[in-house]
Amino acid sequence: MKCSRTEHICSFIVMDVLEKAQELEKRGCDIIHLEIGEPDFDTPLPIKQAGIRALEAGETHYTHSLGIQELREAICRNYEAEYGIYGLDPDQVVITSGTSPAFLVALGAVLEPGDELIITNPCYPCYPNFARFLGIIPKFVKVYEEEGFQYRIEDVKNAIGPRTKGILINSPANPTGHLLDADRLKGLAGLGLWIFSDEIYHGLVYDGERAHSILEFTDKCFVFNGFSKKYAMTGWRLGYVIIPKPFKRTVQCMVQNFFISANAASQRAALVALTDDRVVTETKKMVDEYDRRRKFMISRLKEIGFGIDHEPKGAFYVFANAKSFGSDSYRLAFELLEQAHVGVAPGIDFGTNGEGYLRFSYANSIEKIDEALNRIAQYLEQRKK
Amino acid sequence: MKCSRTEHICSFIVMDVLEKAQELEKRGCDIIHLEIGEPDFDTPLPIKQAGIRALEAGETHYTHSLGIQELREAICRNYEAEYGIYGLDPDQVVITSGTSPAFLVALGAVLEPGDELIITNPCYPCYPNFARFLGIIPKFVKVYEEEGFQYRIEDVKNAIGPRTKGILINSPANPTGHLLDADRLKGLAGLGLWIFSDEIYHGLVYDGERAHSILEFTDKCFVFNGFSKKYAMTGWRLGYVIIPKPFKRTVQCMVQNFFISANAASQRAALVALTDDRVVTETKKMVDEYDRRRKFMISRLKEIGFGIDHEPKGAFYVFANAKSFGSDSYRLAFELLEQAHVGVAPGIDFGTNGEGYLRFSYANSIEKIDEALNRIAQYLEQRKK
């Protein structure tokens, strides 16, 4: 059963891929999963140990609704060290159970029902769903492969109407793996709308690139981040949002009401993630390994005949042009699953402008990636005949 | 800053009490906290050990969006054993990060903006705020001390208008500690509206009473429950909602989008809470201790001159009539805090019909409760003069 609020909220197509994959696996097929959006690494040991210590010490009670003070302070220091952002107040940092629910709070705090939010097409499919659930209208702005799927400031300007109140940005981006460069971030910030910046893939950036925080360019923003991707902590469900000072009171009321607080032990673990030098070594290793896979995947996909106009330099995705193999990405994804036994995410899952592309995740071992791409190569070769 | 969605969402008054208490504590005052809504016990050891084992074993990844299958099955078996509810499908059970966010999902799945939801006055102050955030209109129905703050079916009937779609119930209730009896539950179920039943205080019931699940009376309901209260697991942030079959697809999409999944280790811990015999012994001990405090608190409050018409038989609250000490519960609560150094929650925090009452929590040791009530007695005695 549906209501007007939920009628356009649908399951991700990638979930259909996953279901089909599981069905095939039950029948004995060996499927390689490149459709996944989750680090394949385990959480680094010092972080796990901190979580365990917290439980042993009986940290099993509610925390402050915004999160433990030390963690919020560590996040402020982190934004100082990483981006040169000074003057953040720990009360502007709101710890949530994963980053996702923070979008409901932030969008709900700013936009009225009927207001519009600019979102890229293609984009992470949850973004328009957060908006729709709140009665906010997603206003899609197409982004193009030839510009590394970055917003064209001119196109964004043209999309702004009287009820357009915010712009959602995501750099490095899911599904494209691309970063927004400093000039475009500055251009977007200069438009004067509220910016909602999903910075969850910060830390997973390669090849000497640097991800900028929107806070370097404007205070009129909400910054979403968390521990899931960089620290391989998806199952700990810990994220945060940095909010503008005028929203402190409103947002605190919202989280008191809607979430009470985030997991106590996860917060202790996250504090160690941000402050323990051993974790720096561990995450460096993960980043190096992602980068090795990234280079391998890009070069192999090109050999096979996929188009990669600009090299993606962040996250763990390659959004490859598959138009030479067919225009229907849904069909192609299922074909690769059923015939080559490799799971990939069809571009259409991320918006109409993602049609003709496939998202390959390199959150899998290089051996598996190698084997998967060999299977795909062989299948596509044979299909030509 | 506020928008129309958030302008009526305010902080709980009890938070003001807590803030003032902390200020006094900083100045060296010894404050006894009876304003709290959280078990003072630690999580039972076998549950903590299960959480630790899960982390050690690397259960640090996303789980199924609805929660791990074993936990959802255990919850179904629990509703069989406790209430004789058969035929629940584990896919009707949705595990969430605490019980609170489940309200956003369930109410948002059923009620359109502009629809009305019937809620008791007084009530847990988050309920109307969940509604307001979603554009749903809270329709308050007064409940009265002389009937143990239970809904009058006649009054509920009279409150139903063309846009009234749901009734929110909470038994045992916060703030009153009272249970809805089977006849009234049957009567409410018979009205044909969607019932949203918060059963989070089930398990904390005393004196041979039994809490009924709304599922004993209707399928047209959403049941909210979790591990925070009965198992003293507030900091683990783990709750669930049992949804009607026709909403399975919609709700799964919502949780995939908005929450991804709940904490992996907390889910393993919760599974042990439901299935380990040692936990039964531990929770029995906690319930016996709550009951001892309850009896002590009721008798002592009556001696002091507070009115308790019906004995509360559940949760860990006594909602005492304080009208003989003044009609302004906010003022009285701050007076008791500042003069007697005891924190209590003013009845007005829970709605206009809670005015003149104070909520005393017995989630504190019997020694502290004794000392707190002595201080209050002494202060009120002296105040008369």
Side-chain angles (χ1 to χ4, degrees):
Chain A
M1 277 176 85
K2 296 261 185 189
C3 70
S4 68
R5 207 194 309 270
T6 58
E7 66 181 335
H8 298 293
I9 299 179
C10 45
S11 208
F12 316 131
I13 296 170
V14 73
M15 290 293 170
D16 299 344
V17 175
L18 197 64
E19 264 177 38
K20 183 76 192 169
Q22 286 164 343
E23 197 188 304
L24 290 169
E25 280 167 335
K26 268 185 201 154
R27 284 174 13 215
C29 286
D30 162 45
I31 306 289
I32 300 177
H33 295 274
L34 302 185
E35 78 280 23
I36 34 179
E38 178 177 21
D40 56 315
F41 297 105
D42 272 347
T43 305
L45 192 60
I47 301 175
K48 279 205 287 193
Q49 286 169 334
I52 290 168
R53 275 198 310 274
L55 292 178
E56 285 170 346
E59 294 204 40
T60 59
H61 298 271
Y62 293 130
T63 70
H64 189 287
S65 60
L66 298 180
I68 59 175
Q69 180 75 14
E70 299 96 305
L71 178 58
R72 290 183 286 126
E73 283 169 4
I75 289 167
C76 292
R77 284 195 302 273
N78 188 252
Y79 270 77
E80 276 177 28
E82 290 279 329
Y83 311 101
I85 309 293
Y86 291 87
L88 278 181
D89 168 353
D91 282 357
Q92 289 178 261
V93 179
V94 182
I95 311 292
T96 49
S97 296
T99 309
S100 302
F103 284 95
L104 287 182
V105 168
L107 294 173
V110 179
L111 279 77
E112 300 280 349
D115 282 347
E116 294 166 346
L117 175 69
I118 290 176
I119 308 177
T120 56
N121 175 6
C123 69
Y124 176 48
C126 294
Y127 296 146
N129 289 336
F130 289 125
R132 288 175 187 128
F133 182 68
L134 297 168
I136 296 162
I137 298 154
K139 196 149 191 181
F140 292 105
V141 170
K142 287 185 185 174
V143 292
Y144 301 95
E145 182 183 359
E146 50 271 32
E147 291 175 55
F149 295 101
Q150 297 189 70
Y151 273 121
R152 285 181 188 157
I153 308 299
E154 215 37 49
D155 289 359
V156 175
K157 257 189 207 159
N158 291 336
I160 297 173
R163 298 226 42 189
T164 313
K165 299 284 170 60
I167 304 172
L168 202 150
I169 64 176
N170 174 218
S171 166
N174 176 10
T176 68
H178 283 289
L179 278 78
L180 273 161
D181 58 42
D183 279 350
R184 299 207 194 209
L185 283 168
K186 204 171 161 185
L188 291 167
L191 298 175
L193 301 183
W194 289 100
I195 310 262
F196 300 87
S197 178
D198 185 357
E199 305 187 354
I200 187 70
Y201 289 104
H202 278 225
L204 301 184
V205 175
Y206 318 103
D207 219 11
E209 281 287 329
R210 177 169 123 65
H212 292 277
S213 173
I214 191 65
L215 281 164
E216 298 171 43
F217 306 96
T218 181
D219 292 330
K220 199 175 172 180
C221 64
F222 289 75
V223 172
F224 304 88
N225 206 331
F227 300 87
S228 290
K229 309 293 182 179
K230 179 172 177 188
Y231 301 102
M233 289 180 69
T234 48
W236 299 75
R237 310 310 300 122
L238 207 74
Y240 58 89
V241 52
I242 302 174
I243 62 171
K245 284 182 183 158
F247 280 95
K248 272 165 49 175
R249 189 84 187 147
T250 301
V251 170
Q252 183 167 7
C253 289
M254 292 168 87
V255 297
Q256 277 176 5
N257 273 277
F258 303 155
F259 307 128
I260 308 182
S261 82
N263 186 295
S266 293
Q267 293 187 59
R268 285 288 160 200
L271 180 57
V272 163
L274 287 182
T275 55
D276 191 311
D277 286 341
R278 290 170 302 167
V279 175
V280 177
T281 318
E282 290 292 315
T283 52
K284 171 96 176 48
K285 268 192 235 165
M286 291 195 276
V287 170
D288 289 346
E289 180 56 26
Y290 282 133
D291 193 25
R292 200 164 75 94
R293 298 170 183 178
R294 182 185 70 91
K295 287 176 183 148
F296 174 75
M297 183 181 262
I298 289 171
S299 111
R300 193 75 186 89
L301 283 172
K302 282 182 173 172
E303 277 170 24
I304 297 171
F306 289 96
I308 300 165
D309 210 47
H310 287 56
E311 259 194 33
K313 301 281 177 85
F316 37 62
Y317 307 112
V318 178
F319 201 60
N321 189 325
K323 290 175 186 169
S324 62
F325 303 110
S327 57
D328 182 340
S329 63
Y330 184 87
R331 203 168 141 179
L332 184 59
F334 275 86
E335 211 180 311
L336 293 180
L337 179 62
E338 286 167 23
Q339 303 300 324
H341 295 169
V342 179
V344 298
I348 188 68
D349 205 5
F350 306 98
T352 52
N353 213 37
E355 184 54 300
Y357 295 83
L358 294 176
R359 189 192 73 176
F360 295 84
S361 162
Y362 46 93
N364 206 336
S365 72
I366 205 151
E367 293 74 24
K368 290 276 186 194
I369 293 170
D370 185 26
E371 166 69 15
L373 297 183
N374 286 340
R375 288 184 192 178
I376 289 175
Q378 200 176 1
Y379 169 70
L380 291 174
E381 198 51 46
Q382 168 197 325
R383 182 179 179 251
K384 274 195 217 151
K385 289 170 191 165
Chain B
M1 277 177 85
K2 296 263 183 186
C3 71
S4 69
R5 207 194 309 270
T6 58
E7 66 180 335
H8 298 291
I9 299 179
C10 45
S11 207
F12 316 132
I13 297 171
V14 73
M15 291 291 170
D16 299 343
V17 175
L18 198 64
E19 264 177 39
K20 183 74 193 171
Q22 286 165 342
E23 197 189 304
L24 290 169
E25 281 168 334
K26 270 186 199 152
R27 289 181 0 222
C29 287
D30 161 47
I31 306 289
I32 301 178
H33 295 273
L34 301 185
E35 77 280 22
I36 34 178
E38 179 179 21
D40 56 315
F41 299 105
D42 272 346
T43 305
L45 191 61
I47 300 176
K48 279 205 287 191
Q49 287 169 333
I52 290 168
R53 275 198 309 274
L55 292 178
E56 285 170 346
E59 295 203 40
T60 59
H61 297 271
Y62 291 132
T63 70
H64 188 286
S65 59
L66 298 180
I68 59 175
Q69 180 75 14
E70 300 95 303
L71 178 58
R72 290 183 285 125
E73 283 170 3
I75 289 167
C76 292
R77 284 195 302 272
N78 188 251
Y79 271 77
E80 276 177 28
E82 290 279 329
Y83 310 101
I85 308 294
Y86 292 88
L88 278 181
D89 169 353
D91 281 358
Q92 288 178 263
V93 179
V94 182
I95 311 293
T96 49
S97 296
T99 308
S100 302
F103 284 95
L104 287 182
V105 169
L107 294 173
V110 179
L111 279 78
E112 301 280 350
D115 282 347
E116 294 166 347
L117 175 69
I118 290 174
I119 307 177
T120 56
N121 175 7
C123 69
Y124 176 49
C126 295
Y127 297 146
N129 288 337
F130 290 125
R132 288 175 187 126
F133 182 67
L134 297 167
I136 296 162
I137 298 154
K139 196 148 191 183
F140 292 104
V141 170
K142 286 184 184 173
V143 292
Y144 301 95
E145 182 183 359
E146 50 272 31
E147 291 175 54
F149 295 101
Q150 297 189 70
Y151 273 121
R152 286 182 188 156
I153 308 299
E154 214 39 48
D155 289 359
V156 175
K157 257 189 207 159
N158 290 336
I160 296 173
R163 298 226 40 190
T164 313
K165 298 284 169 59
I167 304 171
L168 203 149
I169 64 177
N170 173 219
S171 166
N174 177 10
T176 69
H178 282 289
L179 280 77
L180 273 162
D181 59 41
D183 280 350
R184 298 206 194 209
L185 284 168
K186 204 173 159 186
L188 291 167
L191 297 175
L193 301 183
W194 289 100
I195 310 263
F196 299 87
S197 178
D198 185 357
E199 305 188 353
I200 187 69
Y201 289 104
H202 278 224
L204 301 184
V205 175
Y206 318 104
D207 219 12
E209 280 288 328
R210 177 169 121 66
H212 292 276
S213 172
I214 191 65
L215 281 164
E216 298 171 42
F217 305 97
T218 180
D219 292 331
K220 197 172 173 181
C221 65
F222 289 75
V223 172
F224 304 88
N225 206 332
F227 299 88
S228 292
K229 309 292 180 177
K230 180 173 177 188
Y231 301 102
M233 290 179 69
T234 47
W236 299 74
R237 310 310 301 122
L238 207 72
Y240 58 88
V241 52
I242 302 174
I243 62 171
K245 284 182 182 158
F247 280 94
K248 273 165 49 176
R249 189 85 187 147
T250 302
V251 170
Q252 183 167 7
C253 290
M254 293 168 86
V255 296
Q256 276 176 5
N257 273 278
F258 304 154
F259 307 127
I260 308 183
S261 81
N263 186 294
S266 292
Q267 292 188 58
R268 285 288 160 201
L271 180 58
V272 163
L274 287 183
T275 55
D276 191 310
D277 286 341
R278 290 171 302 168
V279 175
V280 177
T281 316
E282 290 291 314
T283 52
K284 171 94 176 52
K285 267 193 236 165
M286 291 194 275
V287 169
D288 288 346
E289 180 57 25
Y290 283 133
D291 192 26
R292 201 163 75 95
R293 298 170 183 178
R294 182 184 69 93
K295 286 177 183 150
F296 174 75
M297 182 180 263
I298 290 171
S299 110
R300 193 77 185 88
L301 284 172
K302 282 182 175 174
E303 278 170 22
I304 297 171
F306 289 97
I308 300 165
D309 210 47
H310 287 56
E311 260 194 32
K313 301 283 177 83
F316 37 62
Y317 306 112
V318 179
F319 201 61
N321 190 323
K323 290 175 187 169
S324 62
F325 303 109
S327 56
D328 182 338
S329 63
Y330 183 87
R331 203 168 140 179
L332 184 58
F334 275 86
E335 211 180 311
L336 293 181
L337 179 62
E338 286 167 24
Q339 303 299 324
H341 296 169
V342 178
V344 297
I348 188 68
D349 205 5
F350 307 98
T352 53
N353 212 38
E355 185 54 300
Y357 295 82
L358 294 176
R359 189 193 72 175
F360 295 84
S361 162
Y362 46 92
N364 206 336
S365 71
I366 205 150
E367 293 74 23
K368 291 275 186 194
I369 294 171
D370 186 26
E371 166 70 15
L373 297 183
N374 286 341
R375 288 184 191 178
I376 290 175
Q378 200 175 1
Y379 169 69
L380 292 175
E381 198 52 46
Q382 168 197 326
R383 183 180 180 250
K384 275 195 216 154
K385 290 169 191 167

